[in-house]
Amino acid sequence: MNGKSQKEIAKIVGVQEKTISAWVNKFGWKAVRDAAVQKFENKVENIKQIIGDIADEVFSINERLNSCKDPEECKELRKLRNQLADEAAKWNKALENLDKENKISFAKYLQVFEEIFNDLKKYDEKLFFKTIDFQEQHIQRKALEY
């Protein structure tokens, strides 16, 4: 659905809006999409919160270091700050990996796109040929995004 309304999708695909609504209900598309989006967004937000908490702690340690007089205490604060920086880097790497895991390659995208339109051709050849211009424009636009 990619953020489009059922009415917009119906127009793009060339079917009535009630058909799209029936497909959404029959195949549970909304629940699947919402679950995937929420799961990913929750993970991302949790990791960002952890990184933010670590950064707050590092700032606090830096303030304590500015007024630190005892060499041993200063040494321990620096050690703790370095450990926290390392921990933040690990969480940042986890965030980057999560982002990579949730992206598909352009080749895979094209494969899915082709499967959908091949099925559309089997389902309604006339409708398929009405979408040829759309297919070409869509692929060109997506190629620029990747």
Side-chain angles (χ1 to χ4, degrees):
M1 289 185 201
N2 210 14
K4 295 194 181 329
S5 70
Q6 290 183 16
K7 186 175 186 173
E8 291 171 311
I9 295 167
K11 186 176 179 182
I12 290 168
V13 178
V15 298
Q16 293 182 1
E17 189 177 347
K18 66 182 181 179
T19 302
I20 298 296
S21 182
W23 291 346
V24 168
N25 293 328
K26 181 178 179 181
F27 299 110
W29 291 347
K30 186 177 183 328
V32 170
R33 182 201 64 208
D34 290 349
V37 167
Q38 288 174 358
K39 183 177 178 184
F40 175 74
E41 287 176 353
N42 287 342
K43 282 183 181 179
V44 168
E45 286 308 311
N46 289 342
I47 292 173
K48 286 180 178 179
Q49 181 63 51
I50 291 168
I51 293 170
D53 291 346
I54 292 171
D56 290 344
E57 187 63 28
V58 169
F59 290 135
S60 172
I61 290 170
N62 283 336
E63 287 178 8
R64 289 170 53 197
L65 275 168
N66 287 337
S67 60
C68 184
K69 304 274 191 249
D70 178 16
E72 278 303 310
E73 181 185 359
C74 293
K75 181 180 176 181
E76 287 301 313
L77 287 172
R78 285 187 191 94
K79 183 179 176 183
L80 179 57
R81 180 182 63 186
N82 291 341
Q83 289 171 341
L84 288 170
D86 185 52
E87 192 68 24
K90 289 176 183 174
W91 280 109
N92 192 49
K93 184 68 173 171
L95 190 60
E96 289 173 4
N97 289 338
L98 188 61
D99 189 43
K100 286 179 188 175
E101 289 172 13
N102 285 284
K103 287 187 177 181
I104 62 168
S105 68
F106 188 54
K108 186 68 171 176
Y109 182 87
L110 289 175
Q111 180 184 357
V112 171
F113 187 82
E114 185 176 2
E115 288 177 22
I116 290 168
F117 281 95
N118 284 338
D119 286 346
L120 177 62
K121 187 175 184 180
K122 291 174 190 170
Y123 176 76
D124 186 337
E125 193 170 5
K126 201 173 176 182
L127 177 58
F128 169 80
F129 284 112
K130 284 183 181 179
T131 66
I132 294 292
D133 289 340
F134 162 76
Q135 292 177 48
E136 290 176 10
Q137 291 170 7
H138 181 78
I139 289 172
Q140 288 174 0
R141 191 175 76 248
K142 288 297 177 185
L144 294 174
E145 290 177 19
Y146 278 86

